[in-house]
Amino acid sequence: MDAISVIRAKRDRGRLSDGQIDWVIDAYTRGEVADEQMSALAMAILLNGMDRAEIARWTAAMIASGERMDFSGLVRPTTDKHSTGGVGDKITLPLAPLVAACGAAVPQLSGRGLGHTGGTLDKLESIPGWRASLGNDEMLAVLADAGAVICAAGDGLAPADKKLYALRDVTGTVESIPLIASSIMSKKIAEGTGALVLDVKVGSGAFMKSLDDARELASTMVGLGTDHGVRTVALLTDMSTPLGRTAGNALEVRESVEVLAGGGPADVVELTLALAREMLDAAGLPDADPVKALADGSAMDVWRRMISAQGGDPSAPLPTAREQHVLTAPASGVLTALDAYAVGVAAWRLGAGRARKEDAVQAGAGVELHAKPGDTVAEGAPLLTLHTDTPERFQTALDALEGAFTLAPEGASFTPSPVILERIDRP
Ligand code: URA
């Protein structure tokens, strides 16, 4: 077996055999296949695709490149959620403790942000003292004690994906449905959860800009999960406008705590509850009541235990940015569109996100929305507040927001996009 013949096979629109896939993933993980060869193969896959059987084998080979976690010793059923990433998507923060408060165990291995979408670990690291890295034993201990744990995936989990994802990121090969599906599902299956709910985002702020692409990604992932014995369902959800009223690390933690306290923006609450019901159903707990767990404070109790168990102080004030700039409405009218991608890029440029893996993020940076699509605004009223420690960044953030919102004359009709667009439970 050699890398060049595998690359040529895919370049020439052929199918990769099981043997070719197993070999190339293993040899790449061991360093025998070079980055430039894997880049060429990733580009050939992006251009020519893989069929369902190839994707299944590719995923299995990436799982086999590392360890698999085992939660069979837990009394509670395990259930997890994965979002394909969006702007203002802080849902994991209230969701994990909420589902744990309803009786399931939630082992949530999360990532950092890259580009315009934020990362759950970056958000939680804005809580003073909170640690993302836990050893496997420590992770199990937090899970057994609090019922939920959110932490970084260890190096042993799907190491082939870790290497390949970093390579795709710098070679323009992220946006391939077979590569995205196998990347996400290899980690989730290796993580060992019994049930999985996928939140596949659709719209300008998401990887998938069209409903058709999102459907294909969702059904591919549902098929992969089901074939590996993980009860998997997907919701396709709107990402044409940011979720909630904040995009940025500490800003989003604050909003998540509002949800756990029984408040928070309607779209964040709606999606959190919908995903919680799916996770509980998939875990075999269909009668659990997440609305009650938000109202009676039990979800907030789990949040506080979970944050404390990882060194965080849930009562400590959250960091705020040193400087603010308010963008006001240029005219009175109805806000009919506020583009998710533009807000994500603005938050990123203000310092909430990173351009390279090794960059630091600013805890307080980001964008606060004072109006959401459908709201009526008066001329001169605040539309957005930009937050950063480095005010020289305001101009590039404002550039990103050029043309990002549409104001229609007062009284104009507006049809809101539903938060949840579709549910997919079979391949
Ligand atoms: N998230 C992942 O983990 N992998 C991808 O390929 C894309 C998003």
Side-chain angles (χ1 to χ4, degrees), residues 129-151:
W130 188 85
R131 275 184 305 119
S133 292
L134 303 180
N136 286 358
D137 290 347
E138 212 180 348
M139 179 194 174
L140 269 170
V142 179
L143 189 57
D145 171 48
V149 60
I150 304 176
C151 62

Side-chain angles (χ1 to χ4, degrees), residues 207-230:
F207 276 128
M208 298 294 123
K209 312 288 180 206
S210 80
L211 204 50
D212 278 350
D213 283 349
R215 259 187 215 120
E216 188 185 334
L217 177 63
S219 66
T220 305
M221 292 196 291
V222 168
L224 288 171
T226 308
D227 288 349
H228 281 90
V230 181

Side-chain angles (χ1 to χ4, degrees), residues 82-84 161 165 168 174 176 179-181 183-184 187 207:
H82 180 85
S83 159
T84 55
D161 177 65
Y165 190 35
R168 288 167 53 214
V174 169
S176 148
L179 292 178
I180 295 174
S183 165
I184 291 172
K187 286 174 286 205
F207 276 128

Side-chain angles (χ1 to χ4, degrees), residues 17-19 21-22 52-62 224:
S17 68
D18 290 355
I21 291 173
D22 292 351
R52 290 279 170 109
E54 286 176 290
I55 301 171
R57 191 70 183 204
W58 187 275
T59 307
M62 293 217 290
L224 288 171

Side-chain angles (χ1 to χ4, degrees), residues 33-68:
V33 166
D35 274 350
E36 56 270 26
Q37 294 174 311
M38 198 51 152
S39 311
L41 181 58
M43 185 58 81
I45 292 171
L46 180 134
L47 295 172
N48 295 328
M50 289 201 282
D51 67 24
R52 290 279 170 109
E54 286 176 290
I55 301 171
R57 191 70 183 204
W58 187 275
T59 307
M62 293 217 290
I63 296 168
S65 72
E67 62 181 356
R68 287 185 79 152

Side-chain angles (χ1 to χ4, degrees), residues 72-297:
S72 55
L74 292 175
V75 182
R76 297 166 170 218
T78 48
T79 185
D80 192 5
K81 185 252 346 180
H82 180 85
S83 159
T84 55
V87 178
D89 184 3
K90 70 275 299 166
I91 300 292
T92 295
L93 275 56
L95 181 66
L98 173 60
V99 171
C102 293
V106 187
Q108 179 84 56
L109 299 182
S110 295
R112 295 183 189 283
L114 201 61
H116 75 280
T117 60
T120 298
L121 301 181
D122 295 326
K123 295 172 199 185
L124 285 167
E125 276 176 348
S126 64
I127 300 173
W130 188 85
R131 275 184 305 119
S133 292
L134 303 180
N136 286 358
D137 290 347
E138 212 180 348
M139 179 194 174
L140 269 170
V142 179
L143 189 57
D145 171 48
V149 60
I150 304 176
C151 62
D155 288 340
L157 212 72
D161 177 65
K162 201 157 253 168
K163 249 183 118 174
L164 180 56
Y165 190 35
L167 186 72
R168 288 167 53 214
D169 199 43
V170 293
T171 55
T173 50
V174 169
E175 298 90 344
S176 148
I177 289 176
L179 292 178
I180 295 174
S182 54
S183 165
I184 291 172
M185 294 307 290
S186 62
K187 286 174 286 205
K188 288 293 160 184
I189 294 164
E191 171 199 284
T193 185
L196 177 64
V197 177
L198 298 161
D199 180 2
V200 179
K201 302 279 181 208
V202 193
S204 74
F207 276 128
M208 298 294 123
K209 312 288 180 206
S210 80
L211 204 50
D212 278 350
D213 283 349
R215 259 187 215 120
E216 188 185 334
L217 177 63
S219 66
T220 305
M221 292 196 291
V222 168
L224 288 171
T226 308
D227 288 349
H228 281 90
V230 181
R231 284 178 305 283
T232 309
V233 298
L235 297 183
L236 306 190
T237 69
D238 181 54
M239 189 32 70
S240 58
T241 200
L243 252 177
R245 289 179 173 267
T246 55
N249 300 310
L251 291 169
E252 292 191 47
V253 173
R254 193 188 69 204
E255 194 168 86
S256 303
V257 172
E258 282 167 20
V259 172
L260 289 163
D267 56 347
V268 178
V269 175
E270 179 184 342
L271 186 53
T272 303
L273 286 172
L275 289 166
R277 289 191 188 99
E278 293 287 356
M279 287 171 75
L280 290 162
D281 204 31
L285 299 168
D287 299 327
D289 185 356
V291 174
K292 180 167 170 290
L294 276 186
D296 67 11

Side-chain angles (χ1 to χ4, degrees), residues 245-248 251 254 319-326 346-352 362-370 384-391 393-394 397:
R245 289 179 173 267
T246 55
L251 291 169
R254 193 188 69 204
T320 51
R322 279 196 287 275
E323 305 273 344
Q324 280 79 33
H325 176 93
V326 179
W348 173 31
R349 290 184 181 173
L350 289 164
Q362 292 181 22
V367 179
E368 198 177 350
L369 281 55
H370 300 291
L384 304 169
T385 300
L386 314 187
H387 299 253
T388 186
D389 293 333
T390 38
R393 295 174 183 239
F394 280 135

